[in-house]
Amino acid sequence: MTEHTLTVAGVAVDTRHWIGGERVASTETFTDVSPIDGSVLGEISRGTAMEAAAAVAAAKAAFPAWAATPRAERARILHAVADGVEKRLEELAIVETTDNGALLRSHRRGVMPRVAHNFRFFADWLLKLEHEDFETRGHTNHVSWDPAGPCVLITPWNAPLMLATWKVAPALAAGNTVILKPAEWTPLTASLLADIAAEAGLPAGVLNVVQGYGSEIGDALTSHPDVRRISFTGSVPTAKRIAASAAVNLTPLSLELGGKSPLLVFADADLDLAVDLAVEQYDNAGQVCLAATRFLVQESVAEEFTRRFVAKAGQLTQGDPRDEATDIGPNIHLRQLEKIDGFVQRAIAAGARAVIGGHRKDGQYYAPTLLTDVAQDSEIVQEEVFGPVLTLQTFSDEDEAVRLANDTRFGLAATVATGDPERAERVTAQLVAGTVWVNCFFVRDLQAPFGGSRQSGVGREGGTWSFDFYCDVKNTVTAPNGWRNHG
Ligand code: NAD
């Protein structure tokens, strides 16, 4: 143990940046706190423009060799990173739960296996990536995905390692080098990832991890002229600042942002299924960008839907996320809790009725909440809360359902519960959303395009879309008769 190590449930985590294959400490630190009980986990190196510049320089220096590394070798190393994640899965799970308060059982069984899969999937996809050559008047067109250079990847706290590796894996597979900046509330698993990647044989400088506040290190990263791509997952206001900063060099951006997604429940739906989908929206204490937080329910079944929803939600257990029996853990931060409660109390003051919840609980927990009697143009219907707070509105017919569903500035996802396939086809065709689920929720394949419409995002990642973003896609046209001086 050194002064730069903290220990979480017996797991040692280095609190310094990882730059050019070395641990680098800042003179300043910030305090990392567990949302489970408010306990201090430790002091983390707090980066500034100086560390940003060092990380970009390291990524730039490492780029030519990594870009020239054959695809098969890059893929082999990424599989070795996945092996390392699997070997340390229990450690990653408990550290992540302690740092962000999400359920340990989800980290063990869903999230961390998915982290390993991120590396395996993009390693394998890289090996399949090709576009068939085609001819133009006897000339051959050849499409290639060329590595672009250093990529800045900035991630939020609600699913830290999963969202980070969903960017890190394709960026590295593409032959780029990376500067990862995890959220300041959840920096720990990114530091463990740096250890795992080094052990797996990823060359120094190919992956760099810097920590700190967006306002202090962010601009220096996103406005740096040597950065070739910026991929950001987080909130809309931050995205606007990043877009302005990236505009200085016209650096290409991928933005995965917030949402206010609807769940449409038609009278012809399997109501038990619809209620199951609805209760799922409390997962991760409501801190899920894709969450269907606006229930739109056909009038004739609204009362019955609400009755069944209340019964089912009443069975959820809220408490310590390390406990296997817990369904809903704490919210990330006291500041976030105050924000959530502010939304709810303003909605109630404006006439909303809390069918369940509507208040804080002890510690950093918020009672699962369902609000009715909410106006379409009200703050609670239009703004992302990012907590266990859902609203219910009714509609009379399909046209009204679609109109309400599309009437926000977001367009990340939508979920439709209906027993009629023709209705499903009609409705999904009209919904403005990057992802639409019909009679299901959160089924996500890494080869599918992922992203948001309107202010929920810019661009798509996933499968080939990820390589399209992280690479300079090139078309080389060769004439049939230019070889006369050869041999
Ligand atoms: P946030 O925007 O506050 O912060 C996200 C990251 O940006 C953090 O790492 C932060 O340090 C950094 N940052 C802040 N200011 C910066 C600046 N000026 N320059 C560069 N970086 C800066 O978001 P959050 O509160 O951490 O996350 C919650 C938000 O993320 C919600 O809106 C949620 O919907 C969204 N989200 C979206 C997706 C998706 O895939 N669409 C997934 C998860 C979360």
Side-chain angles (χ1 to χ4, degrees):
M1 291 303 127
T2 72
E3 60 170 315
H4 298 300
T5 308
L6 60 79
T7 308
V8 175
V11 183
V13 186
D14 202 302
T15 59
R16 293 168 293 182
H17 313 282
W18 176 250
I19 299 174
E22 287 180 7
R23 288 290 174 182
V24 176
S26 294
T27 42
E28 301 287 317
T29 61
F30 62 94
T31 307
D32 190 24
V33 173
S34 173
I36 300 176
D37 52 10
S39 59
V40 170
L41 298 172
E43 291 297 315
I44 310 292
S45 272
R46 176 170 163 178
T48 60
M50 195 174 79
E51 288 84 354
V56 175
K60 187 181 179 187
F63 174 67
W66 181 245
T69 302
R71 282 183 176 198
E73 176 61 6
R74 294 206 301 262
R76 188 192 65 73
I77 294 176
L78 293 187
H79 274 287
V81 175
D83 294 342
V85 168
E86 282 162 0
K87 209 167 90 197
R88 300 190 68 180
L89 194 136
E90 278 296 314
E91 296 182 9
L92 290 166
I94 186 65
V95 169
E96 195 83 297
T97 289
T98 309
D99 209 12
N100 89 331
L103 299 187
L104 181 58
R105 67 162 201 247
S106 309
H107 283 150
R108 276 187 175 140
R109 288 179 217 136
V111 175
M112 294 308 163
R114 179 74 168 209
V115 166
H117 182 59
N118 279 338
F119 285 100
R120 297 202 192 286
F121 172 87
F122 285 106
D124 293 345
W125 200 263
L126 168 72
L127 300 181
K128 293 189 293 203
L129 191 65
E130 63 172 338
H131 192 297
E132 213 174 304
D133 288 356
F134 53 98
E135 301 246 313
T136 308
R137 296 189 303 276
H139 297 58
T140 306
N141 291 261
H142 175 73
V143 176
S144 59
W145 283 263
D146 296 357
C151 301
V152 164
L153 311 178
I154 301 177
T155 49
W157 44 262
N158 61 322
L161 195 59
M162 188 173 76
L163 292 172
T165 53
W166 143 260
K167 298 179 189 301
V168 169
L172 293 181
N176 297 316
T177 51
V178 162
I179 304 104
L180 169 65
K181 212 294 283 168
E184 54 272 28
W185 285 347
T186 55
L188 301 186
T189 48
S191 179
L192 293 178
L193 178 68
D195 294 341
I196 290 169
E199 282 159 24
L202 197 70
V206 173
L207 171 66
N208 306 276
V209 180
V210 291
Q211 302 149 160
Y213 295 108
S215 54
E216 293 177 354
I217 192 169
D219 278 351
L221 288 171
T222 53
S223 63
H224 200 295
D226 291 333
V227 168
R228 297 284 172 252
R229 294 290 184 277
I230 299 165
S231 179
F232 168 76
T233 299
S235 63
V236 173
T238 306
K240 289 180 180 174
R241 278 197 292 276
I242 290 176
S245 167
V248 174
N249 302 301
L250 286 180
T251 310
L253 281 169
S254 170
L255 301 174
E256 297 177 355
L257 312 177
K260 194 72 187 177
S261 302
L263 164 64
L264 291 80
V265 179
F266 288 92
D268 57 21
D270 172 340
L271 222 51
D272 285 329
L273 171 71
V275 167
D276 285 348
L277 298 175
V279 172
E280 247 188 89
Q281 309 309 322
Y282 289 133
D283 275 5
N284 207 10
Q287 302 166 136
V288 176
C289 57
L290 294 162
T293 49
R294 291 187 294 135
F295 299 168
L296 304 174
V297 186
Q298 196 149 17
E299 277 159 8
S300 57
V301 292
E303 213 179 301
E304 180 60 12
F305 172 88
T306 307
R307 193 185 64 71
R308 291 195 212 178
F309 176 84
V310 169
K312 183 115 193 164
Q315 293 165 11
L316 296 172
T317 309
Q318 196 165 18
D320 191 319
R322 293 165 296 195
D323 187 338
E324 275 284 312
T326 297
D327 299 305
I328 305 181
N331 286 98
I332 183 74
H333 200 278
L334 274 177
R335 220 186 308 148
Q336 183 69 11
L337 207 71
E338 278 154 20
K339 200 173 136 204
I340 295 167
D341 198 44
F343 275 116
V344 172
Q345 300 319 324
R346 286 193 295 278
I348 290 172
R353 186 169 69 86
V355 181
I356 56 171
H359 55 85
R360 287 172 68 158
K361 295 171 96 173
D362 286 344
Q364 278 181 219
Y365 295 82
Y366 203 86
T369 297
L370 178 69
L371 300 170
T372 57
D373 302 322
V374 290
Q376 179 63 23
D377 62 356
S378 64
E379 179 192 57
I380 197 70
V381 169
Q382 293 293 328
E383 297 299 324
E384 184 184 50
V385 176
F386 227 55
V389 177
L390 310 167
T391 58
L392 188 148
Q393 298 164 269
T394 59
F395 63 83
S396 57
D397 58 18
E398 219 173 271
D399 285 348
E400 190 182 14
V402 170
R403 187 176 57 72
L404 293 174
N406 286 340
D407 182 22
T408 75
R409 68 193 161 106
F410 296 105
L412 191 56
T415 302
V416 182
T418 174
D420 178 350
E422 285 168 17
R423 187 198 297 285
E425 207 177 314
R426 276 195 310 272
V427 170
T428 57
Q430 296 175 76
L431 291 172
V432 179
T435 302
V436 180
W437 286 290
V438 179
N439 295 324
C440 61
F441 178 67
F442 221 85
V443 180
R444 277 204 59 204
D445 192 311
L446 291 181
Q447 66 184 300
F450 179 79
S453 304
R454 296 181 178 160
Q455 291 199 18
S456 286
V458 174
R460 296 290 181 269
E461 294 188 45
T464 301
W465 286 275
S466 291
F467 289 95
D468 287 348
F469 172 69
Y470 288 110
C471 293
D472 288 329
V473 182
K474 180 194 284 171
N475 187 41
T476 303
V477 185
T478 305
N481 51 4
W483 309 122
R484 58 177 177 270
N485 295 329
H486 184 77

